[in-house]
Amino acid sequence: MIDETTRGVFTIAATPFLPDGQLDFDSLDRLVDAYIARGASGLTILGMMGEAGKLSAAESEQVVRRVLARSPVPVIVGVSAPGLATMSALSGASMDAGAAGVMVAPPSSLRTDAQILGYYQETAHALGDTPFVLQDFPLATGVQISTSVILQIVETCPTCVMLKHEDWPGLEKISALRAASDAGARRISILCGNGGMYLLEEMLRGADGAMTGFGYPEMMAQVIAALETGDTERARDIFDAYMPMIRYEAQPGMGLAVRKYSLWRQGVIAHPALRRPGAALPEAAAAETDALARRQEIKLRELGIEPPV
């Protein structure tokens, strides 16, 4: 079970599809294996970039069971839903199958601090003893959660054990949360997203790790490992080698197509398909991704890192 001390790299898993839109379970198995081989200490499935909103309830449970049967590391399941009944059902099924916790993003209808606090208090009640991750991703949800509201949620909801930090600019929020815990507030785990774009600075501000699905997931493990040995300059060098690809993948509206293309290019998934609605990567963008990948491989070898085949 995840708790306030959870650290490391929880890779956000893509959901592989066949060209006809059906789930590709063979690719899902390979994806789980590849994430772990490349340094994931945990996995997060059915997130926003896992196309969770495009799956039926039955398909979501199929993905949960398949990943949990395959994964030797803890798995967090995204259970965000408009209603608490749907959320509770998927949460219960996931925990019964062996999940380590669940993740909940706020619905876009929330506007005031009181509404946000009330929503997460209701969520905690509905989920019972299940530990949950508060997903703070205003770029996608449109919901701005202030540091003070996060601290109120943490204070009043003991089962909120982790923040998935995806606010930007958001480095000051990490610093404020850590300062609050130093002053006596309950400390929770902070894992960061945003495709790894700010990972280096987030870790230096006090984050406990990463929770994102960048198409080269080993980057997060490599950067964090260098920082944990105190070699900040090597962490910066590694981060710099991947940054052009991180930047390219971060394009709103096209990032998932780039990510899946990268995973397909590396032979991890059989098809780069997105489930409709969702377009394939345009030919020119695929060529640009290929060029970035070739340069990335050169820079990594200069650092003594062999890129994955």
Side-chain angles (χ1 to χ4, degrees):
M1 301 278 272
I2 57 170
D3 61 24
E4 293 87 347
T5 67
T6 299
R7 302 178 59 83
V9 177
F10 275 66
T11 306
I12 292 280
T15 303
F17 295 103
L18 298 169
D20 64 0
Q22 296 302 304
L23 288 165
D24 182 355
F25 288 109
D26 289 339
S27 287
L28 184 59
D29 288 344
R30 290 198 303 274
L31 193 64
V32 170
D33 294 346
Y35 285 147
I36 295 167
R38 297 185 186 189
S41 48
L43 301 175
T44 301
I45 60 175
L46 301 184
M48 293 179 188
M49 294 294 269
E51 300 177 82
K54 300 177 185 178
L55 303 183
S56 69
E59 288 175 324
S60 295
E61 291 194 24
Q62 286 178 311
V63 169
V64 169
R65 289 195 296 269
R66 186 78 174 218
V67 171
L68 287 170
R70 188 83 176 185
S71 175
V73 299
V75 177
I76 296 170
V77 180
V79 297
S80 304
L84 294 179
T86 302
M87 180 193 302
S88 297
L90 181 55
S91 174
S94 299
M95 297 305 292
D96 287 345
V102 301
M103 181 167 68
V104 181
S108 60
S109 58
L110 303 181
R111 288 292 176 267
T112 68
D113 289 351
Q115 288 173 338
I116 296 167
L117 177 60
Y119 175 78
Y120 276 103
Q121 290 173 335
E122 290 184 358
T123 293
H125 178 74
L127 296 179
D129 294 334
T130 298
F132 73 91
V133 181
L134 190 170
Q135 184 174 11
D136 181 17
F137 192 10
L139 182 67
T141 64
V143 180
Q144 299 287 338
I145 309 179
S146 67
T147 301
S148 62
V149 171
I150 292 173
L151 290 170
Q152 290 179 69
I153 294 169
V154 170
E155 180 183 357
T156 59
C157 303
T159 51
C160 178
V161 298
M162 181 185 294
L163 173 70
K164 185 187 179 188
H165 175 271
E166 297 192 271
D167 200 354
W168 56 339
L171 295 173
E172 294 303 321
K173 180 178 283 187
I174 296 174
S175 294
L177 289 170
R178 287 302 181 233
S181 61
D182 289 343
R186 182 166 70 92
R187 187 190 191 279
I188 62 170
S189 173
I190 299 178
L191 301 187
C192 298
N194 282 323
M197 186 174 289
Y198 310 105
L199 176 63
L200 184 73
E201 291 81 11
E202 289 163 343
M203 292 299 298
L204 294 172
R205 292 286 189 119
D208 296 298
M211 187 189 286
T212 192
F214 176 53
Y216 294 83
E218 62 275 12
M219 179 277 291
M220 285 81 76
Q222 292 166 358
V223 169
I224 291 173
L227 288 172
E228 287 179 344
T229 65
D231 195 345
T232 303
E233 288 308 304
R234 180 163 177 80
R236 291 188 185 280
D237 288 341
I238 295 170
F239 189 69
D240 290 349
Y242 288 101
M243 178 46 68
M245 186 68 82
I246 295 171
R247 172 190 62 84
Y248 197 78
E249 191 190 278
Q251 297 176 83
M254 199 171 80
L256 181 57
V258 174
R259 181 174 298 178
K260 282 195 159 182
Y261 179 82
S262 292
L263 292 168
W264 169 77
R265 185 183 186 275
Q266 297 168 69
V268 179
I269 58 177
H271 310 280
L274 278 69
R275 178 172 271 188
R276 295 183 182 277
L281 196 66
E283 185 176 336
E288 290 163 351
T289 305
D290 290 341
L292 289 170
R294 288 192 294 270
R295 291 184 59 81
Q296 179 175 283
E297 289 165 7
I298 292 169
K299 293 176 182 177
L300 289 171
R301 288 193 175 99
E302 290 173 349
L303 294 171
I305 298 171
E306 189 61 29
V309 178

